[in-house]
Amino acid sequence: MVFAARQLQEKSLEQHQELYMTFVDLTKVFDSVSREGLWKIMIKFGCQVKFVKIVKQFYNGMMARGLDDGNSSDPFQVTNGVKLGCVLAPTLLSLMFSAKLMMPSGSLTPAFPSNTGAVASCSSLIRDLLFADDCTLNANKDKEMQLDMNRFSSACD
């Protein structure tokens, strides 16, 4: 993400375009993902129902224990979040981030569907960059940035 952000900065300078970037780091986001919401988002983004069921099974019945000074608690069921350290977790989290970023615009479909092979034109602005639990929101005007942040905050709530 850092490389892409730097490239975006350089291209904005070359084209004499203003660029406002807001870096968002959602703390504890891995633990707070609504799984029911995640399954719905996966379907909206075109994941096959069979694949969603497989991922759901991976998370069903997940148990954990708390540790305090070497003493372990009784097991308890974990019903929210994605598994930290799981190879799927960053991808699942990116889907959730993408949905949150698209919600304000009223669209839950990717801007560039994979079946068209379309790419952004040079005049397009890359609206966001995603990596694990980090996000960068980008805008050409400070007022646009504030609106995007307000919308993103509301979507996260």
Side-chain angles (χ1 to χ4, degrees), residues 19-24 101 104 125 127 137-155:
L19 176 65
Y20 294 85
M21 300 177 88
T22 302
F23 296 89
V24 181
L101 291 168
L125 175 67
R127 304 297 300 171
L137 300 177
N138 309 301
N140 289 113
K141 298 177 182 163
D142 58 346
K143 289 181 182 179
E144 284 178 21
M145 178 53 65
Q146 186 60 58
L147 276 172
D148 287 348
M149 283 304 300
N150 293 346
R151 290 176 183 147
F152 184 69
S153 177
S154 294

Side-chain angles (χ1 to χ4, degrees), residues 4-51:
R6 184 68 189 139
Q7 289 295 304
L8 187 57
Q9 290 171 338
E10 287 179 15
K11 295 300 177 192
S12 293
L13 283 172
E14 285 175 13
Q15 296 176 14
H16 306 289
Q17 294 284 324
E18 289 190 28
L19 176 65
Y20 294 85
M21 300 177 88
T22 302
F23 296 89
V24 181
D25 181 15
L26 297 178
T27 57
K28 307 227 182 224
V29 71
F30 282 93
D31 298 331
S32 63
V33 170
S34 163
R35 290 186 187 159
E36 289 307 313
L38 181 59
W39 311 146
K40 291 175 186 174
I41 287 168
M42 290 174 72
I43 297 293
K44 288 272 189 183
F45 278 141
C47 293
Q48 294 182 359
V49 174
K50 184 176 181 177
F51 176 71

Side-chain angles (χ1 to χ4, degrees), residues 39 42-43 47-60:
W39 311 146
M42 290 174 72
I43 297 293
C47 293
Q48 294 182 359
V49 174
K50 184 176 181 177
F51 176 71
V52 175
K53 285 182 181 179
I54 290 169
V55 175
K56 274 172 112 171
Q57 289 176 347
F58 185 60
Y59 281 91
N60 282 345

Side-chain angles (χ1 to χ4, degrees), residues 109-122:
T109 54
F112 306 107
S114 58
N115 61 350
T116 65
V119 295
S121 69
C122 293

Side-chain angles (χ1 to χ4, degrees), residues 60-112:
N60 282 345
M62 191 168 121
M63 302 293 283
R65 292 177 184 259
L67 287 175
D68 181 30
D69 198 27
N71 299 318
S72 126
S73 72
D74 291 334
F76 57 90
Q77 190 166 7
V78 179
T79 58
N80 279 348
V82 294
K83 293 181 179 182
L84 192 57
C86 171
V87 295
L88 281 178
T91 302
L92 296 174
L93 201 57
S94 287
L95 286 173
M96 186 64 89
F97 255 134
S98 294
K100 287 182 186 304
L101 291 168
M102 289 180 204
M103 283 172 70
S105 67
S107 165
L108 261 187
T109 54
F112 306 107

